[in-house]
Amino acid sequence: MENAGTDSELQKWASGQNYLSRRQRTIARSVSFSGMSIVGEGVRMTLHPAPPHTGLIFRRTDLEHRPEIPVSLTNICRSSMYIALTRTDWREGLLRKVLRGNAHLTPFRYMEHLLLPLPAPHVAVVEHFLAATYMLVDNLIVEIDGEDLLYADFDEYARWFMEAAVTEQEADRKLFTVAEPYRIEGKNGQVIEIRPGDELFVDYSVDFTRK
């Protein structure tokens, strides 16, 4: 995989992005990257521009008919340890709902992986890539020749978009704002709180000593 720019170039490019643009965005040109997945398998990913209102779509080029998997909360088929997505028409089933609903408990987390194979077709380990993607574009087709995404850090993903060049489209974005504070507390003491603000600011801490 080629390095598309130094750290200073990436920082300058990132600081120049209009993250609060009211226009939808995609990339100006297709780019391809090859490397290893998290399980050590070779994988190739190609990012393509997409028309307004397309959203984010994964396309499995290694499978017959090249099935497409839209990025949607309803398409999440695994959420413990990593995030996996499948087709919109899938049916979850009672056992998967029970295991996923208790995934904060270690035994249930491992039971999901041992007892429930991922439905086909699917793409897995998407969370880091989507974190970078959603900051930069609204519409994108991602072709991938395997089930696991290429393993990379946030900066490396951002370099892909710097090379592809982010461009605005002639369509308005759907913008959401937080009207009042919203707090979620997990069953093991986890807390997430969202508050209104003029800019995106994230403050977090992780305690790895707790079980």
Side-chain angles (χ1 to χ4, degrees):
M1 181 182 300
E2 295 182 0
N3 187 333
T6 64
D7 288 342
S8 60
E9 290 173 335
L10 178 63
Q11 291 174 4
K12 182 178 180 180
W13 174 83
S15 64
Q17 297 303 302
N18 181 13
Y19 299 103
L20 299 180
S21 170
R22 293 188 174 274
R23 295 288 188 179
Q24 293 185 34
R25 299 191 294 181
T26 188
I27 54 177
R29 53 184 172 272
S30 299
V31 291
S32 296
F33 302 90
S34 298
M36 305 298 290
S37 71
I38 196 169
V39 295
E41 296 181 349
V43 61
R44 182 176 178 83
M45 294 175 60
T46 301
L47 313 185
H48 295 292
H53 309 295
T54 298
L56 307 181
I57 295 176
F58 289 101
R59 179 183 294 150
R60 286 286 301 274
T61 58
D62 59 316
L63 299 179
E64 186 178 7
H65 305 307
R66 297 158 57 95
E68 294 186 347
I69 302 171
V71 176
S72 167
L73 289 175
T74 59
N75 291 354
I76 296 176
C77 57
R78 178 160 293 168
S79 56
S80 60
M81 297 189 181
Y82 59 82
I83 303 297
L85 301 166
T86 188
R87 292 285 293 270
T88 300
D89 55 357
W90 82 295
R91 296 296 180 265
E92 187 170 23
L94 179 60
L95 179 58
R96 191 180 298 272
K97 288 180 179 179
V98 171
L99 294 180
R100 287 183 60 199
N102 292 278
H104 60 285
L105 302 173
T106 301
F108 286 90
R109 185 182 310 148
Y110 289 104
M111 285 172 64
E112 180 185 24
H113 288 256
L114 291 173
L115 299 178
L116 296 175
L118 289 167
H122 66 264
V123 287
V125 198
V126 302
E127 56 271 22
H128 291 176
F129 174 72
L130 292 182
T133 302
Y134 269 111
M135 287 186 64
L136 295 167
V137 299
D138 305 276
N139 305 298
L140 189 71
I141 302 292
V142 183
E143 292 188 340
I144 179 171
D145 62 358
E147 63 182 44
D148 293 331
L149 267 64
L150 193 153
Y151 184 65
D153 60 21
F154 186 93
D155 285 356
E156 194 166 6
Y157 286 138
R159 285 190 178 92
W160 299 3
F161 289 98
M162 182 172 68
E163 181 173 325
V166 174
T167 182
E168 291 191 349
Q169 299 174 289
E170 292 298 322
D172 291 333
R173 301 174 92 179
K174 291 182 179 180
L175 299 178
F176 298 90
T177 59
V178 179
E180 57 187 31
Y182 184 74
R183 182 183 178 93
I184 304 173
E185 297 186 7
K187 297 180 181 179
N188 287 332
Q190 309 95 324
V191 176
I192 297 178
E193 186 170 85
I194 303 173
R195 302 174 184 174
D198 296 327
E199 297 180 352
L200 175 64
F201 177 79
V202 179
D203 183 20
Y204 71 94
S205 63
V206 180
D207 183 0
F208 288 107
T209 63
R210 297 190 61 176
K211 297 183 180 180

